[in-house]
Amino acid sequence: MSNTKSSNIQIAKNSIFLYFRQVVTMLLSLYTSRVLLHTLGVDDLGLYGLVGGIVAMFASLKTMFTVSVQRFLNIEIGNGNDRDLSIVFNVSVLVNLAIAVFFLVVVEMGGLWLIENKLHISQERMVAANWVFQLSVIAAIVQIFNVPFDADIIARERMNVFALVSVFDAFAKLIIVLLLPFFGGDRLIIYSLLMLFVICMNFFVNVLYCHFKFPESHLLRFPFPEIKVKFKEMFAFSSWAFFGNVIFALVNEGINVLLNIFGNLAANAARTITYQVRSVLSNVVSNVYIAVKPQTIQSYARKEMDRFYKLMFMGGKVVGYMYLLLAIPLFFTLNEILFLWLGTVPNYAIGFLSACLLYQFVRVLHQSVGMFFIAIGKLKRYQITEFFVLGSALPLSYIGLKYFEMPLYWVFLVMAFSELMNLFAILLLAKKIGNFEIKLFFENVLLPYGMMGVLCLFSAFLLKCFFSLFSINVILKTFAFIAVVLIVQVLLLFFIGFRKEERNLFVSIVHFKRK
């Protein structure tokens, strides 16, 4: 009992550090985006989002990509085996080296051909596009090498360090954007070069911290048979995790290419802004999983299945509710928020973001089911299923844009539909290969999330109608509406969305933090 209480307290502490990280990085990144739009202009921002999307792709996937290594580290931490823990870390470095080489070959072959032959880029910006692409490839490789060190910090639950490195990253990116006008030459190339510098700095900070704090992070020599067995196991797992993450990323970047082919760089700029907002929303809710994931996987390693399911489903419900808290007020104030944030709102941004909010509403349910496959270590059929179901978004989007002349925001609606189909598919697969408790997932996550989504959406609609009766300053009305909606939603989610024992857990955590 005391061990469970201690674990809950650790999760609460982790959450505090992660949400400090999120608030600071969110504010800094949103302001950075505003300055960057005015410094680069719509076309260059669209070009960076299109060609340099590899950096954004790996930045958004880094947490998911880290999970494959973190899973093995948490298993050994749960088992209390220091020698195997050290072997796992050392092998993870080799695995990520192999993945980096494979990534380099594939992206250089495909990416350059795409830039030269398919994308709508003017000849005078082709040199800049190639520079951005190559610098982005190097930055992505550095992030792949950073994965074992990120995973070790999270597995060891040093969320204070994880938070501080993230805040440093956000501050550094803001500084380079503010300094950009003072550099001579092509600002887009300089921006890409400075972004690479920041990513390298983060990598060296993580390496040094792990070297001095975690003995397992020292690169050691082990007998070849031990390395061979563990490498084979981890490479199989990590390769499938990499395959799944890349498919997810390629769908998103493929959608960006379609927007360029059927639209223009302004559409890519709007998509960049949309994904900036999506990234903020995703990072806020994913912090819950970062906080509970070590305890969840360690519970599975100890065969504590009741606690395993409880943590996994509780995390899924909290993630869903947090998304509702953020997305619903944003949905009703998109015009005002984008204008206040950016000053100049790119064409297509409102439509893209509205459709993307629906897509993300479905996407947040994916993580708790994905955590189950990671914990049991069976990724092959899971990732193959996602390849076909999620990958269908690309041809369906192309058909709609090419032959039915659908509006550009159609691509995000297709992505939402494919995510919904994928959720049902992986739930059935989880039941088949891992005896996943679908009924418990429906009762504890899916049903409450759907019901509270409808209730919160309806209450926000009524409040929007009420506020429309008043003729006051638009900014004042917008913030007043958001404040009231948040208060109403917090009350609805806390007293209706959570069961009594769940509310008592929150109260006990708050009581602990006051002491």
Side-chain angles (χ1 to χ4, degrees):
M1 182 71 179
S2 59
N3 188 38
T4 300
K5 182 179 178 181
S6 175
S7 298
N8 290 337
I9 290 172
Q10 184 60 49
I11 292 173
K13 287 180 178 179
N14 293 343
S15 300
I16 293 170
F17 287 121
L18 290 170
Y19 281 103
F20 161 76
R21 160 192 178 255
Q22 188 54 51
V23 170
V24 176
T25 56
M26 178 182 67
L27 294 175
L28 289 171
S29 63
L30 290 176
Y31 181 69
T32 300
S33 298
R34 176 189 174 96
V35 178
L36 188 61
L37 175 61
H38 289 279
T39 303
L40 293 182
V42 172
D43 283 350
D44 269 5
L45 180 63
L47 181 59
Y48 182 79
L50 178 64
V51 179
I54 298 170
V55 171
M57 177 180 76
F58 273 86
S60 63
L61 289 177
K62 191 168 67 172
T63 300
M64 290 192 293
F65 197 48
T66 301
V67 166
S68 59
V69 177
Q70 184 192 331
R71 184 252 182 195
F72 286 93
L73 293 172
N74 277 128
I75 291 291
E76 300 305 336
I77 292 172
N79 292 333
N81 192 328
D82 291 338
R83 177 177 172 78
D84 284 353
L85 179 63
S86 186
I87 293 175
V88 164
F89 184 90
N90 280 260
V91 171
S92 71
V93 174
L94 296 176
V95 169
N96 280 275
L97 175 62
I99 289 173
V101 172
F102 174 78
F103 167 80
L104 178 63
V105 173
V106 172
V107 80
E108 284 289 345
M109 291 173 60
L112 289 175
W113 175 84
L114 199 63
I115 292 173
E116 297 290 342
N117 297 282
K118 293 296 180 182
L119 300 183
H120 292 166
I121 302 172
S122 62
Q123 281 300 317
E124 58 267 22
R125 299 304 290 152
M126 192 60 72
V127 173
N130 279 282
W131 269 98
V132 170
F133 176 76
Q134 296 298 341
L135 292 170
S136 299
V137 170
I138 297 171
I141 289 173
V142 173
Q143 288 183 321
I144 293 175
F145 285 139
N146 193 36
V147 164
F149 302 95
D150 255 349
D152 205 13
I153 291 171
I154 295 172
R156 289 290 191 174
E157 299 187 75
R158 302 295 176 88
M159 301 307 177
N160 55 336
V161 177
F162 183 70
L164 288 174
V165 172
S166 300
V167 170
F168 165 78
D169 176 77
F171 266 115
K173 289 176 180 176
L174 174 59
I175 290 171
I176 66 175
V177 170
L178 292 174
L179 293 177
L180 203 54
F182 299 100
F183 287 92
D186 193 307
R187 290 180 179 177
L188 183 58
I189 296 175
I190 294 170
Y191 175 69
S192 302
L193 185 61
L194 292 175
M195 284 286 288
L196 172 60
F197 175 75
V198 171
I199 289 170
C200 290
M201 286 293 295
N202 287 346
F203 171 65
F204 287 123
V205 168
N206 281 344
V207 169
L208 289 174
Y209 181 82
C210 290
H211 180 78
F212 287 110
K213 292 294 184 179
F214 308 138
E216 68 270 11
S217 69
H218 299 168
L219 298 182
L220 305 173
R221 289 186 177 183
F222 292 96
F224 181 73
E226 292 182 277
I227 292 290
K228 182 180 179 181
V229 171
K230 187 60 71 174
F231 182 87
K232 183 177 179 181
E233 180 186 3
M234 290 185 64
F235 186 76
F237 186 92
S238 297
S239 296
W240 284 112
F242 177 74
F243 173 77
N245 290 338
V246 167
I247 291 303
F248 173 77
L250 287 179
V251 168
N252 283 270
E253 292 308 311
I255 291 297
N256 203 17
V257 171
L258 290 181
L259 292 176
N260 180 260
I261 293 173
F262 292 98
N264 48 38
L265 286 177
N268 296 122
R271 185 263 188 191
T272 299
I273 295 299
T274 298
Y275 271 50
Q276 180 78 39
V277 176
R278 195 194 82 163
S279 178
V280 169
L281 296 175
S282 299
N283 289 339
V284 169
V285 299
S286 66
N287 281 337
V288 175
Y289 281 116
I290 295 174
V292 305
K293 195 170 291 177
Q295 298 282 342
T296 305
I297 295 177
Q298 288 174 39
S299 296
Y300 180 82
R302 300 187 189 106
K303 307 302 179 184
E304 300 170 355
M305 299 309 294
D306 287 341
R307 178 166 170 78
F308 169 69
Y309 277 110
K310 183 177 180 181
L311 287 173
M312 185 167 55
F313 291 153
M314 186 64 179
K317 180 183 284 190
V318 173
V319 160
Y321 288 175
M322 291 194 66
Y323 179 75
L324 295 177
L325 278 175
L326 296 169
I328 289 179
L330 177 62
F331 177 77
F332 284 97
T333 57
L334 271 179
N335 287 282
E336 296 84 357
I337 293 298
L338 287 179
F339 178 77
L340 290 172
W341 172 30
L342 300 172
T344 302
V345 181
N347 294 333
Y348 309 109
I350 300 294
F352 285 6
L353 194 46
S354 299
C356 192
L357 288 175
L358 175 62
Y359 158 74
Q360 200 65 21
F361 175 81
V362 182
R363 178 68 190 175
V364 295
L365 292 168
H366 178 275
Q367 295 192 54
S368 57
V369 187
M371 188 189 296
F372 175 79
F373 286 99
I374 290 165
I376 67 174
K378 297 179 179 179
L379 292 187
K380 181 179 179 179
R381 294 170 67 182
Y382 164 60
Q383 299 294 11
I384 291 174
T385 301
E386 293 211 322
F387 171 79
F388 287 106
V389 181
L390 294 181
S392 67
L394 272 178
L396 290 176
S397 296
Y398 178 82
I399 291 169
L401 295 173
K402 174 77 172 179
Y403 298 105
F404 295 95
E405 298 182 354
M406 301 297 290
L408 291 179
Y409 64 76
W410 160 258
V411 299
F412 297 105
L413 299 180
V414 172
M415 288 171 65
F417 175 75
S418 66
E419 278 288 350
L420 185 61
M421 294 301 99
N422 182 66
L423 178 65
F424 292 135
I426 62 177
L427 279 172
L428 294 175
L429 182 63
K431 176 67 176 177
K432 183 177 180 179
I433 67 175
N435 200 28
F436 183 76
E437 299 286 354
I438 294 182
K439 182 180 178 182
L440 290 178
F441 178 79
F442 182 82
E443 293 174 349
N444 290 278
V445 182
L446 189 58
L447 184 61
Y449 179 54
M451 291 177 59
M452 295 311 301
V454 172
L455 185 58
C456 289
L457 192 65
F458 182 67
S459 65
F461 173 75
L462 293 180
L463 287 169
K464 185 70 173 180
C465 294
F466 174 74
F467 273 86
S468 66
L469 300 174
F470 298 94
S471 299
I472 57 176
N473 180 272
V474 175
I475 297 177
L476 179 62
K477 184 191 291 190
T478 299
F479 283 107
F481 169 77
I482 292 173
V484 174
V485 169
L486 285 174
I487 292 171
V488 170
Q489 287 189 170
V490 166
L491 294 175
L492 289 173
L493 293 171
F494 187 75
F495 289 104
I496 300 178
F498 288 110
R499 295 191 294 267
K500 183 178 179 180
E501 59 268 27
E502 294 169 337
R503 293 197 297 270
N504 290 338
L505 175 61
F506 285 131
V507 171
S508 66
I509 290 174
V510 172
H511 180 67
F512 164 78
K513 286 189 284 188
R514 284 180 174 176
K515 286 185 176 182

